[in-house]
Amino acid sequence: ACLPVCLVCVTMMSCTVCLNHDATGYGPVFEDQPVDTIYPEESPEAKITLSCRARANPPATYTWRLNSRNIDQDEDNHYTLVGGNLVISNPIKNKHVGKYTCKATNDYGTVVSREAAVQFGYLDFFSSEEREAVYVKEGQGAVLLCAPPPHYPDELSFRWILNEFPVFIPLDKRRFISQTTGNLFISKVDSSDSGNYSCFVSSASIAKSVFSKFIPLVPLAERNEYFCKVQYTVCLNSSPLHSPIPQIRWRKMDGELPANHEVSMAGAHLQLYHVQYEDEGTYECEALNSKGKDWHRARVSVEAFPEWTESISSTERDISSDYTMSCEASGKPKPHVHWLKNGYPYDKHDLKFRGLTFEDSGMYQCRAENRHGVVYADAELRVIACSPTFEHNPVKRRILGAKNGRVVLECRPKAAPKASLSWSKGSELLFNSSRMLIWEDGSLEILNVTRADEGRYTCFAENDRGKANSTGFLSITEATKITLAPSNADVTAGESASMQCAASHDSTLDITFVWTMDGRSIDFDRDGSHYERNPNGGSSGELIIKNTQLNHSGRYTCTAQTPVDNVSASADLVVRGPPGPPGGVRVEEIRNKSVRLIWSSGADNHSPISKYTVQCRDWFSQEDWRDATTSPPDVEGNAETATVVDLFPWTEYEFRVIATNTLGTGDPSSPSPKVTTLEAVPVVAPSDIGGGGGTSKELTITWTPVQPQYYYGRNFGYIIAFKPHDVYEWMKVTVADPEAKHYVHKDSSIPASTEFQVKVKAFNIKGEGPYSLTAVIYSAQDVPSEAPASVEARALSATEAIVWWLPVIQHTVEGYQVRYWMKVEDREASSQRVVVSSRENQTRLENMRPNSPYLIEVRAYNAAGYGPPSHHFQIYTKKAPPSRPPKIISKKLKGTSVNIAWEHVEPLANESTIDGYKVLYRKAGLSTGLLYTTRKRSIDLPMPRDGDCVVEVRAHSEGGDGAVAQVRISGKHQSKPLHPFHMTPLSIGPLVDSDK
């Protein structure tokens, strides 16, 4: 038997006298290795565990190294070895940081683990200094700086708190958080952004988060008015700090964006997942809004951790034989490869052994390294020596061969060094001939076998350590033949087709039929919806193809096979259907309203293409494809170019082409690269010209802005022309904001309610478009000149009053404003207001304080402003209603009614006198019911027939209703016979309006 080499031998000529030898042993193979570890400085668990475990026979012993120095547990009591794992107790930063490796050793050799770095992680608190407020005008952008505190490792995630934890700001088109700096960017700040902001920083490595002092953000309101001057604001930056808020899009300059990408934060953040080498290239971020567009490009270079393309594996090799160990690794930068033997550097660059000896046995490791990391490959090499043996791999006892076919008899004894091999049939030695060939590996090949070749065959093996032989019997069977071959078929997609196949074979053997399509085996389980075998089976292997699809076209091969031989026959299936997608769509000759498309024809799928349809989509329609207008209108099936017309100028488009034949319309091509048509003079004028109103001495002009697809070019804006109806010359003003909807002209000489004619047109960098239709509007009215007369009022309760007045007789009055305030410490500045239309001359005042003097004034108003105030009218609100609820003192059953009695409520000195009591009788769970009023201190109520009812009692005064007392009574049919009713005080609540 072959004996593996052990480490200690008495003689190197034979392994039969090896000491401590175990033929089933093997060297260490790692099952668990140490990994990079970040230990939080504030960790409650004061230890670090580095794993190391190897499978080995005999079991391995373990040692550890730190920064290439052996660790001695006797010198440092922080270290403990648990199995193969290294435990560091109470780790110290300046002592235990570094790179650790584990060695596993047994009688067969040593292997070294990968390096594992140990670092200490931390995240300090933010500075306690107060952050300065950030003031920014509404409509402009703001940046709030995070300035994260010292930390390790570098990887942090950032969020921002608004006003209080855990309210985090949502990310949208206006807000962006840099995951590099933590800074918060807000574009086009508005009043809703006002608040206190705190930067929230998290380190996933050490599971810790901290947040900064709050930063107040104060938006400053800015009135949206335009005066007689040209104002241009052009956004030419993809930063999120521009207005209008830009749309952000990404593309890869030299191809499509990778499928494994994700765009987040309203387009501001592009993330590539599972990056591959082909993802390398230049990426462009484009920001586009109504005022223009800009872009920024960045180069992405892809590097990679080392990865084995060719590795090593454990093997046994014959003594004195040649053997090459080879390792190759991919990676970027290209990895450096070197070798270890039994844990020590091996100075050979390429392991080519010439004449293996026992000393070459051992554990080998291949190490590939670049700046991104290290990978190891481990293998055990055993050098063996033994005489030939067929114990584990004898010649097959019975070998079958098909008549007139080819037979191979294998001979694979185990021997070291390699044995010489020969064959005999019976007692006749065999030699190479035209029909018989002994291969280099010892196999015997016989061609065109006949019945005469049947018999016993013996393989003989011999080397310098001994001899052996093994015998088998060759039997010859009838050959398998195709009797019905498949025929070519031609069908239309959706129809069914069949392929015939039948064969004759040796009756002592089983036969099976295997079908392939273009060399690939058909999986009847996976593709059972289309492929089906003949259910009759036997010597027929008919294939049925149901509901054929275009991808079913191809060459079908039927193979009839037995355990001894096989034979094949083939036929072609043609499936006709709609055309495939055209390819290579590109755009040329770009003009302002047209482009020229070029493409290449796709597969016609066995039916000539009759026509093409061109589709387009623009930046405004996003995913909405539509048929484009072409010249000529009908694109013939032999064409590979067309001109697309009726496009919008200065608009980004992409195009695709669809082919049609007599069998249908195919799938569309891939979209063309995006292109932008040239700029042109705008042709669409603003609509809905109107205006009027505003404050005195103003002319307000309004319009509906032009939609962005009609801008036709950069620097889009409006020219407003206006004049009094009896004046010849037009006054003109330019407004550069494409989203503007109105213009306010201020002029102290403008008389009130004067007729003006106005018209508006658009312009861009290429010129001016046509004016809109002329509209007639009026300048602002003057404010009402008279004050309401005869203002009077009276208190209704402690908190309400009513006020009335004589209307102002002026047709320009649109309504009235009533102000009221307490006549205490000049509270006019904090007055309350009620506004009513001009048709009203009275209103109710609410939310007043009890027993307090109030002043009331009324003034008329219109769009120009408020007129003069009326004289002040003074009232006193009534005292507050009783604050204490009635106390229920008795409850009696009186036949079919219940008597509820209570004590009289004595009002406090600052409360209104009691006028009587209100009793609300309602079903439990409802808010409405029967309301009773009484001056007595008791009441009879009907017993409920079933269910529970609630009785609410409260005192009533001129100041309103007082606090309520409640009691619950049960109906006649309840399940408590000893108590026909019972009372449960529920709550004593605040004032309740008994009129509800």
Side-chain angles (χ1 to χ4, degrees):
C2 286
L3 301 176
V5 176
C6 54
L7 295 181
V8 182
C9 287
V10 173
T11 174
M12 302 309 299
M13 294 302 295
S14 171
C15 273
T16 57
V17 291
C18 283
L19 304 178
N20 301 324
H21 171 71
D22 182 358
T24 62
Y26 54 88
V29 179
F30 278 118
E31 293 183 325
D32 196 4
Q33 298 188 56
V35 296
D36 291 345
T37 301
I38 296 176
Y39 174 74
E41 292 185 357
E42 303 171 12
S43 173
E45 185 179 11
K47 69 176 180 179
I48 300 171
T49 301
L50 299 175
S51 299
C52 185
R53 185 177 74 255
R55 183 177 71 255
N57 186 14
T61 59
Y62 301 90
T63 57
W64 284 82
R65 294 169 67 88
L66 170 58
N67 297 331
S68 301
R69 297 194 315 273
N70 289 327
I71 293 176
D72 189 340
Q73 299 178 57
D74 295 330
E75 293 181 1
D76 189 340
N77 57 12
H78 292 274
Y79 292 113
T80 306
L81 204 59
V82 180
N85 298 342
L86 181 66
V87 178
I88 311 172
S89 302
N90 300 312
I92 302 171
K93 185 173 183 178
N94 60 4
K95 187 174 183 180
H96 297 123
V97 165
K99 294 183 177 180
Y100 289 78
T101 54
C102 169
K103 276 188 175 183
T105 303
N106 74 357
D107 295 343
Y108 292 93
T110 300
V111 288
V112 180
S113 74
R114 71 168 79 97
E115 286 185 340
V118 170
Q119 298 286 350
F120 281 58
Y122 61 93
L123 174 60
D124 290 350
F125 291 101
F126 276 92
S127 169
S128 59
E129 294 183 5
E130 295 295 331
R131 297 285 191 105
E132 293 185 3
V134 175
Y135 297 88
V136 60
K137 291 183 179 179
E138 291 183 11
Q140 294 185 351
V143 181
L144 302 185
L145 304 181
C146 179
H151 57 276
Y152 182 86
D154 291 336
E155 293 78 16
L156 298 176
S157 63
F158 299 91
R159 290 187 290 176
W160 281 78
I161 299 170
L162 178 59
N163 293 328
E164 61 180 354
F165 182 84
V167 180
F168 294 100
I169 67 164
L171 300 180
D172 52 30
K173 292 183 178 180
R174 292 197 309 114
R175 303 177 182 90
F176 168 73
I177 298 174
S178 168
Q179 293 301 312
T180 303
T181 64
N183 295 343
L184 170 63
F185 298 83
I186 305 176
S187 65
K188 202 171 183 180
V189 170
D190 59 36
S191 58
S192 67
D193 294 317
S194 177
N196 296 310
Y197 291 75
S198 173
C199 182
F200 188 85
V201 181
S202 299
S203 173
S205 300
I206 62 173
K208 181 180 178 181
S209 300
V210 295
F211 54 88
S212 70
K213 286 282 190 178
F214 280 98
I215 305 172
L217 175 62
V218 183
L220 303 176
E222 185 174 32
R223 193 175 178 192
N224 185 22
E225 294 183 352
Y226 298 90
F227 300 96
C228 296
K229 63 181 179 180
V230 177
Q231 300 178 0
Y232 287 98
T233 304
V234 181
C235 173
L236 293 177
N237 195 311
S238 60
S239 158
L241 296 181
H242 288 79
S243 176
I245 300 168
Q247 297 285 338
I248 299 176
R249 291 177 297 182
W250 290 88
R251 67 172 176 156
K252 190 170 184 278
M253 301 303 296
D254 51 355
E256 294 293 322
L257 280 174
N260 49 329
H261 79 276
E262 180 181 81
V263 177
S264 58
M265 296 187 185
H269 189 227
L270 170 67
Q271 186 162 0
L272 305 181
Y273 295 95
H274 310 298
V275 175
Q276 305 297 317
Y277 286 118
E278 54 266 28
D279 298 337
E280 186 169 276
T282 300
Y283 290 77
E284 179 183 87
C285 162
E286 181 183 66
L288 175 69
N289 67 9
S290 57
K291 296 186 177 181
K293 64 181 178 180
D294 196 10
W295 58 86
H296 178 76
R297 293 173 182 170
R299 175 77 183 173
V300 174
S301 297
V302 178
E303 296 192 349
F305 194 86
E307 186 175 356
W308 295 118
T309 58
E310 182 180 353
S311 186
I312 55 176
S313 58
S314 296
T315 185
E316 291 182 349
R317 292 291 164 172
D318 298 348
I319 192 167
S320 302
S321 63
D322 297 339
Y323 178 59
T324 299
M325 273 190 173
S326 181
C327 270
E328 291 186 8
S330 64
K332 194 174 181 183
K334 183 174 176 60
H336 170 68
V337 177
H338 64 271
W339 294 85
L340 300 174
K341 180 182 178 183
N342 292 327
Y344 292 97
Y346 204 52
D347 56 4
K348 293 184 179 181
H349 295 288
D350 195 4
L351 295 190
K352 292 183 178 180
F353 298 95
R354 295 289 180 263
L356 283 168
T357 66
F358 294 140
E359 288 89 346
D360 294 320
S361 294
M363 298 300 300
Y364 289 82
Q365 290 182 282
C366 186
R367 187 177 190 267
E369 179 178 14
N370 66 10
R371 62 170 167 256
H372 299 294
V374 181
V375 290
Y376 286 85
D378 307 340
E380 179 183 355
L381 173 61
R382 289 192 188 182
V383 179
I384 61 174
C386 66
S387 61
T389 177
F390 286 94
E391 180 181 356
H392 300 294
N393 197 16
V395 174
K396 291 178 65 175
R397 289 184 178 276
R398 183 168 183 258
I399 303 135
L400 297 177
K403 186 177 179 181
N404 299 321
R406 167 180 170 272
V407 177
V408 176
L409 289 73
E410 292 185 345
C411 179
R412 301 185 184 279
K414 188 168 187 179
K418 184 178 180 181
S420 60
L421 302 173
S422 61
W423 283 88
S424 70
K425 179 186 177 187
S427 60
E428 178 189 357
L429 280 176
L430 301 178
F431 301 95
N432 289 339
S433 67
S434 60
R435 280 200 326 118
M436 292 190 180
L437 177 66
I438 300 176
W439 293 357
E440 185 178 346
D441 69 356
S443 298
L444 173 63
E445 179 182 23
I446 308 174
L447 304 177
N448 301 319
V449 294
T450 65
R451 295 285 184 183
D453 292 318
E454 289 186 332
R456 296 173 61 84
Y457 289 80
T458 301
C459 176
F460 297 92
E462 181 178 359
N463 68 6
D464 60 0
R465 295 177 180 261
K467 299 178 182 180
N469 63 74
S470 181
T471 301
F473 190 87
L474 173 62
S475 298
I476 305 302
T477 64
E478 291 297 324
T480 304
K481 296 179 181 179
I482 295 288
T483 58
L484 179 60
S487 302
N488 294 339
D490 190 323
V491 297
T492 300
E495 297 178 345
S496 295
S498 67
M499 294 277 184
Q500 300 288 340
C501 187
S504 63
H505 62 98
D506 191 292
S507 60
T508 63
L509 302 175
D510 292 330
I511 189 170
T512 58
F513 292 88
V514 176
W515 283 93
T516 62
M517 195 272 277
D518 291 338
R520 297 185 302 274
S521 294
I522 295 174
D523 187 333
F524 288 90
D525 293 329
R526 186 188 65 193
D527 300 325
S529 59
H530 291 290
Y531 292 109
E532 184 178 282
R533 299 178 189 270
N534 185 332
N536 296 327
S539 295
S540 174
E542 181 184 7
L543 172 67
I544 300 172
I545 309 167
K546 303 175 295 183
N547 186 22
T548 55
Q549 304 298 306
L550 294 173
N551 60 354
H552 293 147
S553 292
R555 187 164 186 81
Y556 286 78
T557 300
C558 170
T559 300
Q561 63 183 27
T562 68
V564 176
D565 64 345
N566 63 77
V567 63
S568 299
S570 300
D572 293 320
L573 173 64
V574 174
V575 181
R576 303 181 188 274
V585 180
R586 64 185 191 276
V587 185
E588 295 184 352
E589 299 179 16
I590 301 170
R591 297 184 173 86
N592 56 17
K593 291 187 178 181
S594 68
V595 299
R596 181 168 171 262
L597 284 188
I598 299 175
W599 64 88
S600 58
S601 298
D604 65 6
N605 291 325
H606 312 292
S607 180
I609 296 172
S610 57
K611 70 170 185 175
Y612 287 101
T613 302
V614 177
Q615 293 186 326
C616 66
R617 64 179 175 187
D618 55 38
W619 182 83
F620 304 100
S621 60
Q622 300 296 330
E623 299 300 321
D624 184 21
W625 288 95
R626 59 181 175 84
D627 289 350
T629 304
T630 60
S631 178
D634 298 321
V635 183
E636 299 294 335
N638 59 354
E640 291 190 340
T641 182
T643 299
V644 184
V645 297
D646 297 341
L647 301 175
F648 286 108
W650 197 57
T651 300
E652 184 180 78
Y653 285 95
E654 54 186 339
F655 303 89
R656 68 183 186 184
V657 182
I658 305 173
T660 300
N661 62 16
T662 57
L663 298 177
T665 298
D667 293 329
S669 68
S670 297
S672 69
K674 295 176 182 178
V675 297
T676 301
T677 50
L678 303 182
E679 295 172 305
V681 174
V683 297
V684 176
S687 59
D688 301 327
I689 311 302
T695 58
S696 181
K697 309 303 180 183
E698 288 183 351
L699 177 66
T700 300
I701 303 168
T702 62
W703 62 89
T704 298
V706 174
Q707 294 298 311
Q709 59 263 42
Y710 298 104
Y711 288 173
Y712 286 10
R714 294 164 291 157
N715 300 343
F716 185 87
Y718 302 99
I719 296 175
I720 297 95
F722 56 96
K723 68 182 184 67
H725 73 285
D726 55 355
V727 176
Y728 179 76
E729 291 292 335
W730 292 84
M731 292 179 284
K732 297 180 181 179
V733 64
T734 299
V735 175
D737 184 355
E739 296 180 353
K741 299 178 181 179
H742 78 283
Y743 164 75
V744 178
H745 177 69
K746 293 178 178 290
D747 189 339
S748 59
S749 63
I750 295 179
S753 302
T754 300
E755 180 180 324
F756 276 79
Q757 293 178 338
V758 297
K759 56 186 179 180
V760 184
K761 66 179 176 180
F763 73 90
N764 64 18
I765 196 171
K766 301 295 286 186
E768 300 174 3
Y771 273 114
S772 66
L773 297 175
T774 300
V776 174
I777 63 173
Y778 292 86
S779 60
Q781 305 168 346
D782 281 337
V783 297
S785 58
E786 297 181 16
S790 301
V791 176
E792 296 185 22
R794 65 181 175 86
L796 298 177
S797 68
T799 59
E800 295 181 337
I802 188 170
V803 59
W804 63 91
W805 61 90
L806 291 179
V808 175
I809 310 302
Q810 289 184 354
H811 73 277
T812 61
V813 173
E814 297 179 6
Y816 299 93
Q817 182 198 68
V818 180
R819 291 199 309 148
Y820 55 103
W821 64 93
M822 287 180 58
K823 188 183 177 184
V824 178
E825 300 175 358
D826 191 19
R827 299 287 292 276
E828 183 176 359
S830 59
S831 62
Q832 296 173 267
R833 291 170 171 79
V834 178
V835 176
V836 298
S837 72
S838 60
R839 297 187 299 273
E840 305 290 335
N841 73 326
Q842 68 174 22
T843 188
R844 198 179 185 97
L845 309 181
E846 300 176 338
N847 299 321
M848 305 175 84
R849 291 192 178 182
N851 197 27
S852 301
Y854 272 83
L855 294 178
I856 304 171
E857 72 167 28
V858 185
R859 60 171 71 190
Y861 74 88
N862 59 19
Y866 293 99
S870 67
H871 69 274
H872 292 173
F873 188 87
Q874 180 173 319
I875 64 169
Y876 284 87
T877 54
K878 299 183 182 297
K879 290 184 178 181
S883 59
R884 292 179 294 182
K887 182 179 179 181
I888 308 294
I889 56 175
S890 71
K891 57 282 181 188
K892 297 177 181 178
L893 178 62
K894 298 170 62 177
T896 60
S897 64
V898 176
N899 179 267
I900 306 296
W902 57 88
E903 288 184 349
H904 177 63
V905 176
E906 287 293 337
L908 302 177
N910 62 343
E911 295 177 346
S912 299
T913 303
I914 304 300
D915 293 336
Y917 296 91
K918 289 183 178 181
V919 180
L920 178 64
Y921 186 46
R922 60 180 175 83
K923 281 278 190 181
L926 300 179
S927 59
T928 59
L930 297 174
L931 181 66
Y932 301 88
T933 58
T934 180
R935 291 182 176 273
K936 299 178 181 179
R937 293 195 290 275
S938 66
I939 190 169
D940 291 333
L941 298 172
M943 275 287 292
R945 297 184 61 84
D946 52 22
D948 289 354
C949 285
V950 175
V951 180
E952 296 181 353
V953 183
R954 73 198 78 197
H956 175 67
S957 69
E958 67 171 2
D961 295 336
V964 65
Q966 291 183 337
V967 65
R968 182 185 294 264
I969 60 176
S970 299
K972 298 178 181 179
H973 305 301
Q974 297 295 309
S975 59
K976 298 180 180 180
L978 296 179
H979 301 280
F981 74 92
H982 68 278
M983 181 185 77
T984 306
L986 298 178
S987 63
I988 297 177
L991 178 67
V992 176
D993 186 353
S994 63
D995 292 335
K996 293 182 180 178

